[in-house]
Amino acid sequence: ENGAFNKKHASSTNPATVSVDYIGDDNSESVPSFDIEVKQLASPQENIGNYLPDNPVSLPEDNYSFDVGIGEMNYEFQFHISGDETNRSIQERLVRLVNNAGIGLNASLETEGNNSAIRISSDSSGVSAGKETIFSISDDRTSKASGSVDYFGLDKVNSYPTNAVFALNGEDRSASSNHFTIGKMYEVTLNQLSPEGSPTTISIKADIESVEENVGQVI
């Protein structure tokens, strides 16, 4: 009751480029404003495998496996290939296998005419110091038969992950995600690159605007 009309609200001069929410103390008397110029968005890693026709699979019938490394974790995926299966049926099975694992990867099937390829992307974006990728796929030392990684092209990186790069009050900064906080006051989301030389200003809305928004929320 007491705080219904006293909540502060953040304002962005260009919400299409940078959207913002206020997460600080509503009783703070002085909340600084910031200028943000978005120079590069954070992006995930994406692998796109070999485009194969919907023909009988060329790999011999066997139990196969491959290893996925994400950060300090390693996961092994096992599957069986029988002699009457096609490239497409195996690809669809591998897509389900990756998605059902819940390890921070998303898989889908990309098609071009009668050909299809497995697309695998990371949920997270950005890169750690000294690393180029978020995840790696290999069957060099796997427990079952190898050859599926090379055949389906699971290890082919189509686009490498990137960090968000932006200028905060003229000072260059970077972040592994497009969503982060500033000074425990603003929760910021970078949506697109800034027009050259046109930073976005984030600040607290004027009191009358905040009251109007609070009344709308109460209604």
Side-chain angles (χ1 to χ4, degrees):
E1 294 178 13
N2 294 334
F5 299 103
N6 297 324
K7 296 178 70 174
K8 286 181 167 58
H9 294 275
S11 170
S12 169
T13 56
N14 189 351
T17 300
V18 181
S19 51
V20 62
D21 289 307
Y22 181 70
I23 58 171
D25 187 356
D26 289 324
N27 296 319
S28 297
E29 295 184 2
S30 177
V31 180
S33 61
F34 295 93
D35 287 340
I36 299 181
E37 184 177 357
V38 184
K39 300 180 178 181
Q40 175 179 284
L41 293 176
S43 63
Q45 177 183 342
E46 179 187 73
N47 287 19
I48 297 182
N50 299 324
Y51 280 88
L52 302 173
D54 191 19
N55 295 337
V57 64
S58 297
L59 290 172
E61 182 171 348
D62 208 338
N63 292 316
Y64 290 84
S65 64
F66 59 88
D67 302 313
V68 177
I70 304 178
E72 303 299 320
M73 303 297 293
N74 287 285
Y75 306 90
E76 184 180 75
F77 291 82
Q78 299 183 6
F79 62 102
H80 178 77
I81 292 180
S82 58
D84 59 348
E85 293 189 89
T86 64
N87 292 322
R88 180 75 60 87
S89 66
I90 299 298
Q91 288 173 327
E92 290 173 345
R93 186 137 49 90
L94 292 180
V95 165
R96 292 193 299 270
L97 195 64
V98 171
N99 288 335
N100 291 338
I103 60 173
L105 299 180
N106 286 301
S108 61
L109 203 60
E110 304 289 312
T111 58
E112 287 185 359
N114 191 47
N115 298 329
S116 57
I118 297 174
R119 175 184 176 273
I120 301 175
S121 61
S122 59
D123 288 341
S124 61
S125 58
V127 288
S128 304
K131 293 187 177 182
E132 291 185 340
T133 59
I134 295 174
F135 65 91
S136 61
I137 302 177
S138 170
D139 59 5
D140 292 339
R141 299 181 179 179
T142 195
S143 64
K144 304 296 182 181
S146 60
S148 62
V149 171
D150 183 62
Y151 181 80
F152 291 105
L154 301 178
D155 58 345
K156 288 187 173 181
V157 180
N158 180 60
S159 59
Y160 286 87
T162 60
N163 288 329
V165 179
F166 56 96
L168 188 64
N169 287 342
E171 181 180 342
D172 285 340
R173 303 282 187 90
S174 66
S176 61
S177 171
N178 294 315
H179 187 81
F180 52 87
T181 60
I182 298 177
K184 298 181 180 179
M185 290 175 289
Y186 296 106
E187 192 171 63
V188 172
T189 301
L190 308 182
N191 300 314
Q192 63 183 21
L193 301 184
S194 298
E196 188 172 355
S198 300
T200 298
T201 300
I202 58 173
S203 59
I204 292 299
K205 288 184 177 180
D207 288 346
I208 186 62
E209 292 181 82
S210 290
V211 169
E212 183 180 359
E213 188 162 336
N214 287 328
V215 170
Q217 290 180 358
V218 169
I219 292 173

